[in-house]
Amino acid sequence: MINDPYREGAARGWRLVDAARLERDVEAEADVIVLGSGAGGGIAAEVLAKSGLRVAIVEEGPLRSTPDFRMREADAYPQLYQESAARKTADKAINILQGRCVGGSTTVNWTSSFRTPPDTLAFWRSHFGLDDYSPEALLPWFEMVERRLGIHEWNGVPNLNNETLRSGGQALGIEVSGMRRNVRGCWNLGYCGMGCPTNAKQSMLLTTIPSALEQGATLYSHLRAERLIVEGDQVRGVDCVAMEPAGVHPRALRVRLRARHVVLAAGAIGSPALLLRSGLPDPAQRVGRRTFLHPVALSAAVMPQVVAGHAGAPQSLYSDHYLHRDPIDGPVGFKLESAPLHPVLFGTTLQGYGEAHAGLMREFPHAQVLLALLRDGFHEASPGGTVQLRDDGTPVLDYPLNDYLFDGMRRALQAMAEIQFAAGARSVIPVHEAGLRWSSLAEARAGIATLLLQPLALRVVSAHVMGGCAMGKDAAQSVVDPRGRHHRVRGLTVADGSLFPTSIGANPQESVYAIVARNVSALAAELTGRPAAPIA
């Protein structure tokens, strides 16, 4: 029997408010309001609550817990993801997977954990004045969140979908390494993207949010933060609107929360959107700009044996071979990983229609997929995208794909095809509308060299949204200071991946955990007049 921490916590008196069930407007106060319950919001809530502050956590998505995770895509995507896992950039050229539920993307991510790469930190120090963002300065914070969240080398056996990366890489002399994961007692089911049904994944849903609730925090779910309450140059709270149970449309009921300080952790699209809606001063117009995605190109292969890419840890191996061949500010580098395979995700990402698409789906048991995650934001030709507001105030990301990025994607397609054929693939299929299939490396090399790469032709996806509220010393070039404090108003700290002035160059969840832990611990000390409570 797998326990449900929220049912048990509610029986002990946890303060859980489902705004979809409210019957009247609400006004309430706290010491600190945390907007968002994902990687940044979860860490912030636990640090602040354990330090003795009254915390209110606001989450736009629903509260779903262990019994709700039934390993079914049809249930998971509408309930746990932004826009039912179909969020797209303004031109529809990039599909963005982003969580929207208690725990945020940590509830649905694939558990891949990396410290911020040293070359990324060096770039931040030299270009953005982030002088104390060094591996040495961040080490104690990485170690603390690793203890807290069970981040460790995973010793399980990689599934064949991942093993193909290693066997192909070894045949070509390409280094492939084991991945660290934030799991305890993993059953190796392979359904991390639909919420962990065994409580193995150490997401915010299972760790920091329950801890904050145990300390007396209040969790509001189904509640959308609309605008910050600003009096003079001081942020005093937030105006919110309750959402309907389906989470799509707002209700008429309002919730007004006031506090000494607001921590904004609504993610790298949601956080800049709230600042834009609130009309905070932004004379240099930096809010929403330099938003990065790690744009991903995909290469599918048909293997002679059954791969069963739905089973086993979704990601357990990776290669940084192509990240370090050129300078960080040179041609765009890319990280290679495998992509978990489930029928809906596979079918909606794969190109083609009708019989051609059905033919590819019939080969699903033998399908293997590699992904190349591009490190964007380090070159002048990679300025990222811009978060904008639609007429109804909801956000959309405009992220133009350009020749600089397509050059990286072409090299990535070549590299992935070479690895897949070296691992024994019968055929390789770039995830591209041309619907090509190559049965030899020579065919693939020739085909990729002339493949038309343009928006909506190559299928591009992303699960890593970063930037938009960039930190830096210079208020003319950034939104917040190196500790996440807003440059132009008091009482507001940004604490999520929107802080990053570039992409990370690796799966970003652990970078969010560690950087937010450091910044919010400093905030807790300032608000209480004593050192922050450690979380591990």
Side-chain angles (χ1 to χ4, degrees):
M1 183 71 178
I2 307 298
N3 71 303
D4 176 359
Y6 287 85
R7 175 176 294 181
E8 296 170 4
R12 293 197 301 276
W14 282 5
R15 299 186 177 104
L16 304 174
V17 180
D18 184 349
R21 297 175 180 270
L22 289 177
E23 296 179 350
R24 63 183 66 87
D25 293 347
V26 171
E27 293 194 10
E29 288 191 15
D31 292 322
V32 184
I33 301 164
V34 178
L35 301 176
S37 64
I43 291 287
E46 182 174 37
V47 170
L48 295 163
K50 289 188 74 172
S51 297
L53 294 158
R54 293 177 302 142
V55 174
I57 307 163
V58 176
E59 168 57 51
E60 181 176 321
L63 171 59
R64 296 288 183 268
S65 188
T66 318
D68 302 309
F69 303 147
R70 292 178 285 182
M71 302 164 58
R72 289 167 48 92
E73 290 178 282
D75 294 336
Y77 298 153
Q79 294 188 44
L80 306 178
Y81 285 78
Q82 288 282 3
E83 301 177 36
S84 300
R87 170 170 270 185
K88 296 187 184 302
T89 49
D91 63 358
K92 318 296 185 193
I94 306 176
N95 196 65
I96 301 171
L97 293 176
Q98 203 174 16
R100 192 190 68 157
C101 55
V102 173
S105 291
T106 73
T107 298
V108 295
N109 71 15
W110 302 332
T111 74
S112 311
S113 302
F114 297 88
R115 295 180 182 177
T116 315
D119 51 356
T120 296
L121 294 173
F123 191 87
W124 289 3
R125 294 194 301 276
S126 63
H127 287 72
F128 303 102
L130 300 173
D131 299 335
D132 64 347
Y133 278 76
S134 66
E136 296 77 18
L138 288 171
L139 179 61
W141 303 98
F142 280 122
E143 290 178 337
M144 184 174 74
V145 298
E146 288 163 2
R147 290 192 301 272
R148 177 69 181 95
L149 303 174
I151 295 172
H152 63 282
E153 299 287 344
W154 188 65
N155 297 319
V157 178
N159 65 12
L160 189 56
N161 193 40
N162 280 269
E163 186 57 38
T164 299
L165 173 59
R166 176 154 58 193
S167 61
Q170 285 179 341
L172 298 169
I174 293 172
E175 183 177 359
V176 176
S177 303
M179 204 177 281
R180 298 191 310 162
R181 305 177 63 217
N182 59 317
V183 294
R184 288 189 171 103
C186 178
W187 291 22
N188 205 20
L189 296 174
Y191 288 74
C192 306
M194 293 161 228
C196 180
T198 68
N199 290 343
K201 187 201 294 187
Q202 302 299 288
S203 66
M204 301 300 97
L205 176 71
L206 193 71
T207 57
T208 57
I209 298 297
S211 173
L213 292 167
E214 202 68 31
Q215 300 294 325
T218 301
L219 171 62
Y220 295 86
S221 57
H222 277 127
L223 188 63
R224 174 180 289 172
E226 283 202 327
R227 286 177 181 79
L228 296 169
I229 302 169
V230 184
E231 297 171 358
D233 67 346
Q234 176 77 40
V235 174
R236 298 290 188 186
V238 60
D239 279 325
C240 306
V241 61
M243 301 296 291
E244 292 183 338
V248 177
H249 301 293
R251 304 172 66 200
L253 294 178
R254 314 287 306 182
V255 175
R256 169 166 275 215
L257 300 174
R258 297 183 69 88
R260 297 164 58 191
H261 202 98
V262 173
V263 172
L264 178 53
I269 292 178
S271 288
L274 182 62
L275 296 184
L276 292 170
R277 285 198 299 271
S278 302
L280 265 59
D282 182 26
Q285 297 188 318
R286 303 310 303 169
V287 174
R289 297 185 181 277
R290 290 187 63 80
T291 300
F292 301 102
L293 287 175
H294 285 157
V296 167
L298 300 153
S299 180
V302 178
M303 306 300 289
Q305 64 275 54
V306 170
V307 175
H310 65 282
Q315 293 189 317
S316 54
L317 298 170
Y318 72 98
S319 175
D320 282 348
H321 178 79
Y322 297 96
L323 272 182
H324 304 308
R325 298 180 65 170
D326 295 299
I328 195 169
D329 55 355
V332 64
F334 51 89
K335 188 182 195 75
L336 293 181
E337 299 172 346
S338 298
L341 304 179
H342 295 276
V344 174
L345 188 63
F346 185 73
T348 54
T349 304
L350 207 58
Q351 71 273 17
Y353 304 92
E355 180 54 35
H357 188 272
L360 292 170
M361 289 301 297
R362 282 193 286 271
E363 297 182 286
F364 176 65
H366 291 258
Q368 191 277 332
V369 174
L370 292 180
L371 65 83
L373 179 158
L374 270 64
R375 179 176 57 188
D376 51 343
F378 295 84
H379 187 280
E380 61 182 11
S382 180
T386 302
V387 175
Q388 303 169 342
L389 298 180
R390 300 185 181 97
D391 291 343
D392 65 356
T394 58
V396 62
L397 174 63
D398 180 26
Y399 189 106
L401 294 166
N402 59 22
D403 289 344
Y404 175 79
L405 296 172
F406 283 130
D407 170 69
M409 292 177 185
R410 193 180 303 278
R411 287 184 283 111
L413 290 173
Q414 292 276 13
M416 291 188 287
E418 190 171 7
I419 290 170
Q420 288 167 317
F421 278 120
R426 288 198 311 228
S427 60
V428 168
I429 306 162
V431 182
H432 186 285
E433 291 301 337
L436 301 170
R437 177 191 291 245
W438 299 301
S439 57
S440 72
L441 180 58
E443 285 182 10
R445 283 175 171 162
I448 293 169
T450 58
L451 192 61
L452 176 64
L453 297 184
Q454 64 181 25
L456 301 174
L458 184 70
R459 294 280 182 105
V460 180
V461 300
S462 168
H464 303 158
V465 191
M466 299 152 284
C469 299
M471 56 184 171
K473 275 187 176 177
D474 184 354
Q477 297 297 321
S478 55
V479 178
V480 298
D481 72 12
R483 285 293 178 270
R485 309 293 179 88
H486 197 278
H487 279 304
R488 303 184 187 280
V489 295
R490 295 180 295 128
L492 178 62
T493 294
V494 176
D496 57 20
S498 69
L499 289 168
F500 303 153
T502 65
S503 72
I504 292 293
N507 306 54
Q509 67 164 338
E510 190 175 344
S511 294
V512 177
Y513 297 145
I515 290 170
V516 168
R518 180 171 74 168
N519 291 354
V520 173
S521 293
L523 172 64
E526 180 181 311
L527 293 176
T528 64
R530 56 183 182 273
I535 58 174

